[in-house]
Amino acid sequence: MSTRPQPRATYRLQLHSDFDFADATAVLDHLVELGVSHVYLSPIGTASEGSTHGYDWLPPPAVAPALGGLDGFRELRAAATARGLGLIIDIVPNHTGVADALANPWFADLLRHGRDSEFATYFDVDFTDDNGVDGKIALPVVAADGDLSPLEIDDDGDLRYYDHAFPVAPGTGDGTAAQVHDRQHYRLVPWNSGLIGYRRFFTVNELAGLRQEVPEVYDATHGWLRDLLDADLVDGLRVDHPDGLWDPQDYLRRLRSDVGDDRLIYIEKILGPDEPLEPTLPVEGTTGYDQMRVIDALFVAPSGVMQLTELHERVTGETGDGRWIESAEHQRKLTTLRESFPTELRRLVRAVLDADPSADRADIAAACGELIAALGVYRADYPSLRPRLLAVATRIADETPELAAALDLIVRATAIPGAATSRLAQTCGAVTAKSVEDSLFYRTARLVSAQEVGADPANPVLSIREFHQHNTERAERWPLAMTASSTHDTKRGEDVRARIAVLSQVPDRWSRLVETVWRDTEIPDDFTCYFLLQNIFGVWPPDGKVTDELRHRLVEYARKATREAGLRTTWTEVDEGFETAVQTWIDQVTTGSVATAITELVRRVTSAWEQEALARKAIAILAPGVPDIYQGTEWWEDSLVDPDNRRPVDFGRSLDHPKSQLVQSALRTRAAHPDAFGATGSYRGLDADGPASDHVIAFLRGTADAADVVTITARYTHSLDPASAAATTIELPAGSRWRDVRTGVVYTGAVDLATARQTHPVAILVQA
């Protein structure tokens, strides 16, 4: 029988050299006061010099000296235990940092000795003769013109190309730099050649994929973790990007065996809107993007989305609706596969052809592309998703008969575990991430709050009925899965998304503001400015005072967003004139009469925004799942995409704040009713009757034997008429008196929406 803990809530801390184990220890009392049960740490392993996130860890794996080392971690553990707090750490099995090849001893040895390296099996390297560089390891670091004349041999005997240094094989260091280069097991190639010798994390050349399917690699990368577990220093793990692995199911089974049955495992898994989490995985659940999508969609008004679609088309020339997104996503995936993953595609095609060498290579490549573009999930080799792959293959074959034979071969080749199955899955995940979250979501702007990791901008709304059905199933299947609101990977923080979503309730006022901005500023590009304007609105200070710091943050965000979009400027081909024009536009928007107009709209929606930001937070804490509170989000937050969302947090702020107080009340309620919110807890939506029934969000948490906690809040609050709220009642579970934990007021039988929310936007009721 499982003896795993049932967390009340996790609190995510981002560790780096300026916020280490000692700094984390210093905020533990704050976390206790807040009411969480587990401290949830970003990666703690030794990372590349200057790393601000830890996902670029370096071998041999060990607790990072820059964070305080093993002794510092022990002290943090002891301090947390003394306060009744558990520890969850973030592990990174998929990749290791290779930005500085010489700083990674495993990768350096691979480059020095090639296929004879003792670490050759650690990395997913393409050593085949037809890999584009005659069986060597392609390293795409050279300028586009391929000029190797800057190559030199440095004082340490290493090959150097500007800031990049590479090891030299024994006995090959004589002669010119070019001659030495020609003798190596690797070849430096242009960055845009489409050649790379190893599997990466997505398209990040500086993160090289590891082969966890090889037992010696698993042991080498998890020995330090076993030591931490044996010393009882951690209570759970967050596994970064298991979908990148050869066989995530097998990996997670081995990990569970190491971790045991009394510790938690969460996986960073992005689920499609209609994708279930594989039920056989030995985990507590995902890190919660799926629940975040549901909560966000609940607060988007369908009627407003229709008007925003029309406005988006008027401004940008495209509707940005579901049909457009589906078509654009399909095309982006095909383009991304062709431009960013040609090496991965060649290896995938080669694996499929092993099942029938006589098949047409071009047809196999085209069929793989169409499958990847149409699957709609990161990877479809989980048992529960096999029918999806078959159905999609059948549909494509019906629509494109000339690919039928190739699709049939792919289906047969992926029917059993092996190279074809895993390479299709790994390539699909990488292409999906780069095409959707890192590209398409920067190329459309119907409602940017719905353009979030794991979200569904094609269908950004959710009915009350669907919400209750989803949570009923979640309570039964994944009661201890995390619920994310903000993370280090979200494109916008929870309160920023909440405010932008309110635009669906005021589309006419938003349209008038857009007209003002377009009339009174110099627009360098219609789409770019419309996209940015929503984000600017999302972080706009309620008092209208735009500081130089905020203006700088907006300029930095605009630079990243426009380069990710790749429409007018890119990371590799920067259009300085366009980027300067965007910065000038931001200066115009954040000053003068235009700034006054933005402040006025922000002022008009502030009440609705605050109510709904609090409602979202309450649902995240009290609906099924384990709430994950990202650092600083117990107060209002205005974060945009990383690195903006990793700014230092002032933990000295008062908890006398509407959001902090709500978090404390909700977590105290969870603590007082652990069974209702644990693995055996139940969920039931409560009906509302009256003119404002579609505004009502009300649900019951309890167990099979008892009804323990009722939560009542509202959505679409900008248009919530007081009289309608007063005329709308929520039936409370019969036979009990219900006390509001914050006001002490007791209700029996039923309560109207206005009365329940008279003092606070969220009513939390327990049996009196």
Side-chain angles (χ1 to χ4, degrees):
M1 181 176 180
S2 174
T3 57
R4 266 169 244 164
Q6 298 189 128
R8 185 183 319 131
T10 60
Y11 191 100
R12 171 78 174 200
L13 291 173
Q14 293 296 118
L15 300 174
H16 45 80
S17 59
D18 293 325
F19 190 89
D20 58 14
F21 296 140
D23 296 307
T25 301
V27 305
L28 293 181
D29 288 337
H30 168 75
L31 304 189
V32 170
E33 188 176 4
L34 201 60
V36 305
S37 61
H38 286 71
V39 186
Y40 168 28
L41 302 175
S42 62
I44 65 171
T46 302
S48 300
E49 184 176 358
S51 176
T52 60
H53 49 76
Y55 291 99
D56 49 354
W57 68 272
L58 297 174
V63 178
L67 300 180
L70 183 57
D71 288 342
F73 186 63
R74 288 182 182 276
E75 292 173 5
L76 171 60
R77 171 62 164 180
T81 300
R83 292 164 173 80
L85 296 171
L87 281 186
I88 296 174
I89 63 170
D90 194 339
I91 64 171
V92 189
N94 179 66
H95 52 265
T96 180
V98 296
D100 179 354
L102 296 178
N104 188 315
W106 295 353
F107 195 68
D109 196 82
L110 169 70
L111 298 184
R112 182 175 287 111
H113 299 289
R115 66 183 71 207
D116 294 326
S117 167
E118 63 176 299
F119 301 104
T121 58
Y122 282 42
F123 299 92
D124 191 0
V125 181
D126 184 5
F127 281 121
T128 57
D129 292 338
D130 62 347
N131 67 359
V133 287
D134 302 321
K136 295 187 176 185
I137 305 169
L139 302 178
V141 299
V142 180
D145 59 11
D147 180 18
L148 288 176
S149 61
L151 264 180
E152 58 183 11
I153 301 174
D154 65 20
D155 294 340
D156 295 321
D158 298 315
L159 267 178
R160 182 169 292 276
Y161 179 80
Y162 295 113
D163 294 334
H164 299 280
F166 305 95
V168 170
T172 66
D174 295 334
T176 67
Q179 290 171 333
V180 172
H181 170 258
D182 289 344
R183 301 187 192 111
Q184 301 313 306
H185 297 284
Y186 54 85
R187 182 175 296 174
L188 307 186
V189 298
W191 65 267
N192 62 347
S193 64
L195 299 173
I196 187 164
Y198 53 91
R199 181 176 61 82
R200 304 159 288 176
F201 171 69
F202 300 156
T203 56
V204 183
N205 295 345
E206 294 78 12
L207 297 175
L210 292 168
R211 298 183 64 205
Q212 294 293 350
E213 67 274 16
V214 177
E216 65 178 313
V217 178
Y218 180 90
D219 290 339
T221 53
H222 289 71
W224 77 298
L225 178 60
R226 289 168 175 156
D227 292 341
L228 296 179
L229 295 168
D230 289 344
D232 194 28
L233 294 179
V234 297
D235 301 294
L237 307 175
R238 181 259 197 193
V239 182
D240 182 67
H241 190 49
D243 270 356
L245 301 174
W246 186 265
D247 186 348
Q249 298 170 85
D250 181 63
Y251 169 81
L252 291 169
R253 286 191 290 266
R254 282 182 291 162
L255 185 66
R256 174 56 76 189
S257 178
D258 275 348
V259 169
D261 207 36
D262 58 348
R263 291 183 175 93
L264 303 159
I265 299 178
Y266 291 102
I267 57 173
E268 186 215 12
K269 165 72 175 154
I270 309 302
L271 294 170
D274 59 346
E275 177 187 3
L277 179 61
E278 172 56 43
T280 63
L281 295 180
V283 301
E284 271 52 64
T286 72
T287 52
Y289 288 111
D290 41 319
Q291 186 73 348
M292 184 174 73
R293 172 185 60 81
V294 167
I295 296 172
D296 280 5
L298 185 63
F299 289 87
V300 176
S303 60
V305 171
M306 295 175 62
Q307 290 181 258
L308 292 175
T309 303
E310 296 172 357
L311 177 59
H312 188 273
E313 184 173 22
R314 191 161 68 244
V315 173
T316 71
E318 303 285 357
T319 61
D321 62 5
R323 182 176 298 178
W324 183 91
I325 288 174
E326 181 181 0
S327 174
E329 178 178 329
H330 187 271
Q331 188 55 51
R332 285 307 305 157
K333 287 178 176 177
L334 292 177
T335 301
T336 300
L337 179 63
R338 181 179 68 253
E339 295 181 350
S340 300
F341 296 98
T343 296
E344 290 79 358
L345 179 59
R346 282 194 295 271
R347 299 184 77 183
L348 168 58
V349 170
R350 190 186 303 143
V352 173
L353 285 172
D354 284 344
D356 182 0
S358 67
D360 186 275
R361 181 178 296 269
D363 283 353
I364 297 297
C368 285
E370 290 297 333
L371 260 180
I372 288 170
L375 278 170
V377 294
Y378 265 57
R379 58 187 296 161
D381 60 333
Y382 294 104
S384 60
L385 293 181
R386 179 65 179 178
R388 185 188 191 111
L389 186 145
L390 298 178
V392 171
T394 298
R395 176 174 61 79
I396 296 172
D398 289 341
E399 296 172 352
T400 316
E402 61 270 24
L403 295 180
L407 288 161
D408 180 66
L409 178 58
I410 294 170
V411 166
R412 286 189 281 114
T414 58
I416 57 174
T421 301
S422 292
R423 294 214 180 278
L424 175 61
Q426 289 177 311
T427 306
C428 183
V431 169
T432 298
K434 295 308 298 180
S435 302
V436 181
E437 286 91 351
D438 292 344
S439 179
L440 179 61
F441 283 4
Y442 289 99
R443 289 178 167 226
T444 188
R446 178 170 62 163
L447 184 66
V448 301
S449 60
Q451 292 161 209
E452 187 53 79
V453 180
D456 183 17
N459 181 27
V461 302
L462 193 76
S463 70
I464 295 290
R465 180 188 60 79
E466 292 169 324
F467 173 74
H468 289 322
Q469 179 181 346
H470 167 85
N471 282 312
T472 300
E473 295 174 355
R474 193 171 206 247
E476 294 172 352
R477 298 176 183 174
W478 300 103
L480 298 184
M482 273 188 184
T483 297
S485 300
S486 298
T487 78
H488 60 286
D489 280 331
T490 42
K491 306 293 186 187
R492 297 156 198 88
E494 59 199 59
D495 296 336
V496 177
R497 297 197 313 276
R499 185 190 284 171
I500 295 171
V502 174
L503 294 177
S504 68
Q505 300 178 49
V506 291
D508 291 334
R509 291 190 181 279
W510 170 245
S511 180
R512 289 198 290 272
L513 174 61
V514 171
E515 290 174 3
T516 297
V517 173
W518 259 244
R519 184 191 66 219
D520 296 343
T521 65
E522 300 169 34
I523 305 293
D525 177 75
D526 287 326
F527 166 74
T528 299
C529 293
Y530 190 63
F531 176 92
L532 292 176
L533 185 61
Q534 289 182 57
N535 292 281
I536 291 171
F537 174 79
V539 302
W540 197 264
D543 62 7
K545 297 178 181 178
V546 179
T547 63
D548 289 341
E549 178 194 15
L550 176 56
R551 194 172 288 108
H552 174 73
R553 287 173 52 214
L554 290 172
V555 169
E556 290 299 308
Y557 173 74
R559 180 176 292 112
K560 178 168 184 173
T562 53
R563 292 182 183 180
E564 289 287 300
L567 295 171
R568 296 287 303 271
T569 186
T570 71
W571 292 107
T572 54
E573 297 181 24
V574 175
D575 186 330
E576 294 183 1
F578 174 70
E579 293 188 0
T580 299
V582 170
Q583 181 172 347
T584 299
W585 177 79
I586 290 173
D587 290 339
Q588 294 172 353
V589 166
T590 54
T591 56
S593 60
V594 173
T596 300
I598 296 174
T599 300
E600 172 60 19
L601 182 56
V602 168
R603 184 190 64 79
R604 284 182 175 273
V605 304
T606 291
S607 175
W609 163 64
E610 290 185 352
Q611 291 178 62
E612 297 186 16
L614 294 174
R616 289 164 177 248
K617 199 67 170 179
I619 294 169
I621 295 174
L622 297 170
V626 175
D628 171 36
I629 300 170
Y630 186 67
Q631 58 179 31
T633 61
E634 61 268 42
W635 299 284
W636 301 134
E637 60 84 37
D638 65 349
S639 294
L640 293 167
V641 74
D642 68 284
D644 193 67
N645 57 19
R646 300 180 192 182
R647 288 172 292 146
V649 175
D650 177 9
F651 290 101
R653 281 177 284 177
S654 170
L655 289 178
D656 184 18
H657 181 280
K659 200 174 179 189
S660 306
Q661 291 177 341
L662 172 68
V663 170
Q664 287 179 303
S665 295
L667 291 181
R668 279 197 297 266
T669 302
R670 283 187 71 112
H673 302 275
D675 291 341
F677 295 95
T680 59
S682 61
Y683 175 97
R684 178 163 64 87
L686 297 179
D687 293 329
D689 183 42
S693 59
D694 195 42
H695 293 261
V696 177
I697 306 166
F699 54 87
L700 169 70
R701 300 304 309 276
T703 62
D705 301 323
D708 293 324
V709 180
V710 169
T711 301
I712 300 174
T713 188
R715 63 177 183 168
Y716 311 160
T717 53
H718 186 79
S719 60
L720 180 56
D721 176 73
S724 297
T728 301
T729 57
I730 300 98
E731 289 293 327
L732 300 174
S736 301
R737 300 170 68 244
W738 293 92
R739 176 178 58 84
D740 189 310
V741 300
R742 301 182 73 181
T743 67
V745 176
V746 175
Y747 307 107
T748 304
V751 62
D752 68 80
L753 182 62
T755 299
R757 299 177 69 250
Q758 186 171 6
T759 307
H760 301 288
V762 180
I764 305 172
L765 312 180
V766 299
Q767 289 199 38

